[in-house]
Amino acid sequence: MSELVEKHTILGVVVGSRAYGLDGPDSDHDRRGVFAAPTRDFWRLDKPPTHVDGPAEEQFSWEVERFCTLALQANPTVLEVLWSPIVERITPDGEELRGIRAAFLSRRVAATYGNYARDQLDRVAARRARTGQTNHKQAMHMIRLLMAGAHVLRTGEVLVDVRHLRDRLLAVRQGLVPWDEVTAWAGTLLADLAAAETATGLPERPDRDRVDELLAGIRERGLMAYGKRIDDH
């Protein structure tokens, strides 16, 4: 499985705190990637994996078709890969994927980002009720997600680098902001997300045709590459 990542990655980026601009000296290098399995592998009974964990620590990659499916659903984790400011590896296919990234965006961003954030808020609140402890890191990412959701609805760009909010967000992570202020902030951001959804210029649905065209091109080039290897022998 690691060979798929090592030989067939078309886009490799860093996400997490380093991409957000919230990193410290000991922060992990969270790496995410997209690989294009050889086209002929899909003709076999055992299909290529939809994702691969590793081979490096904190590394996770999706096969390009699975990646596109999740991105079309406005999955926040996947969309961040397309807008990460830290690109470590990219091929012409990866360039094309990033080049059509706007095709994955739609009004459903409001639901996915909002639901992810609400889920995190509920989990933090439930843990507080059960143990009296607060997961401050989770609370910080809940706030960050709500901000990012409103941003993409208004601008058509996924907000990854939030270093301009670094001090405020790290204060939440460090537990320096009282919980009632955190929940009040979340409430304000949820209202802002709803307002951004009402005014957004994003389409109702993503551009599946454009994504289909991308995938077909990648598969066709995979066959051509195989044919070239045969000819070379």
Side-chain angles (χ1 to χ4, degrees), residues 203-216:
E204 287 288 338
R205 297 177 181 82
D207 191 344
R208 290 178 61 89
D209 290 343
R210 196 172 179 195
V211 177
D212 262 337
E213 185 178 350
L214 167 81
L215 283 173

Side-chain angles (χ1 to χ4, degrees), residues 26-148:
D26 300 321
S27 294
D28 293 330
H29 283 83
D30 296 309
R31 290 182 166 88
R32 298 293 179 267
V34 184
F35 64 91
T39 304
R40 282 178 56 88
D41 287 3
F42 290 92
W43 300 350
R44 298 170 176 161
L45 291 174
D46 295 324
K47 307 302 181 189
T50 58
H51 60 271
V52 174
D53 199 354
E57 291 186 12
E58 307 298 332
Q59 183 178 15
F60 187 93
S61 300
W62 295 269
E63 208 285 322
V64 62
E65 183 175 340
R66 177 59 176 166
F67 180 87
C68 288
T69 298
L70 293 172
L72 286 167
Q73 296 168 356
N75 181 299
T77 302
V78 170
L79 290 178
E80 286 181 0
V81 173
L82 294 173
W83 269 267
S84 172
I86 308 175
V87 178
E88 294 189 321
R89 181 177 177 184
I90 192 165
T91 69
D93 284 339
E95 292 277 9
E96 186 176 351
L97 177 62
R98 277 176 61 97
I100 69 159
R101 60 190 181 181
F104 295 101
L105 300 181
S106 68
R107 294 174 65 94
R108 69 182 57 174
V109 162
T112 55
Y113 277 73
N115 289 341
Y116 269 61
R118 290 186 192 93
D119 181 63
Q120 290 190 0
L121 178 61
D122 290 344
R123 290 187 182 191
V124 175
R127 182 179 180 184
R128 280 177 55 84
R130 185 175 68 255
T131 68
Q133 299 176 332
T134 302
N135 186 328
H136 298 293
K137 181 178 180 180
Q138 197 169 15
M140 179 196 72
H141 284 300
M142 176 266 296
I143 293 291
R144 183 188 59 78
L145 270 174
L146 289 172
M147 291 177 170

